[in-house]
Amino acid sequence: MDTDASTDADASAGAHTSTHADASPAVGAGRLERVNPPHLAPPTGFSHGVRAASGSMVFLAGQTALDGAGRIVGEGIAEQFERALGNLLDVAAASGAGPGDLAKLTVFAVDVADYRRHAREIGRVWKRLVGGDYPAMAVIGATRLWDEAALVEIEGIAVVH
């Protein structure tokens, strides 16, 4: 989907669309705000995050280990997990949510056995970036992800207070 077409469709449907991290809040009932921090790879056919009307819920799109230029970085699953989680946390922050506001995460892994083998390392990354609290979570095995070089993708829901 063309990004401009998506933006035009969102605008004509009455939704507020934003490509900045410091987007203005949605106005009116039933409106959604698209949150796309400018330092992440430009989204094509999706938004990095969507904040609900009053700003209470933020739906965070699946994040992989993409750098700002749209390249997958990190050799192993733990390195890619760190970058993907960092990207997700950046979108959450741009939406007004912190690590403690994560309510639900889904992790998609192309090799669940590899994910489990690196669970301690991934756990250390989690504790460093998020802390000791965990949201409701699931790890789902996937044949492959949108970005072929991606080993892991993380999506979630945050609640902004």
Side-chain angles (χ1 to χ4, degrees):
M1 173 187 282
D2 179 64
T3 305
D4 292 335
S6 173
T7 301
D8 292 343
D10 291 341
S12 68
H16 174 75
T17 303
S18 172
T19 55
H20 326 318
D22 59 344
S24 352
V27 179
R31 302 254 174 124
L32 299 175
E33 177 187 356
R34 279 35 173 183
V35 181
N36 296 302
H39 67 280
L40 295 181
T44 303
F46 71 98
S47 288
H48 287 292
V50 176
R51 184 173 21 210
S54 67
S56 61
M57 293 182 74
V58 180
F59 300 88
L60 304 164
Q63 297 293 321
T64 59
L66 285 176
D67 66 10
R71 294 179 305 257
I72 295 291
V73 296
E75 293 299 314
I77 195 161
E79 289 175 39
Q80 286 198 18
F81 180 88
E82 182 169 359
R83 182 58 182 244
L85 181 59
N87 287 348
L88 185 101
L89 291 170
D90 285 350
V91 177
S95 302
D101 297 321
L102 296 173
K104 181 178 185 334
L105 293 183
T106 304
V107 178
F108 298 93
V110 296
D111 185 343
V112 175
D114 187 41
Y115 185 95
R116 290 179 61 123
R117 276 191 302 276
H118 291 90
R120 285 184 187 258
E121 191 177 349
I122 289 168
R124 285 191 295 272
V125 167
W126 179 270
K127 287 194 188 268
R128 186 167 31 82
L129 297 181
V130 179
D133 291 328
Y134 296 91
M137 292 181 72
V139 176
I140 309 289
T143 304
R144 67 160 286 220
L145 301 169
W146 182 264
D147 298 300
E148 288 187 48
L151 301 175
V152 65
E153 183 168 337
I154 308 168
E155 70 173 13
I157 300 171
V159 177
V160 180
H161 304 285

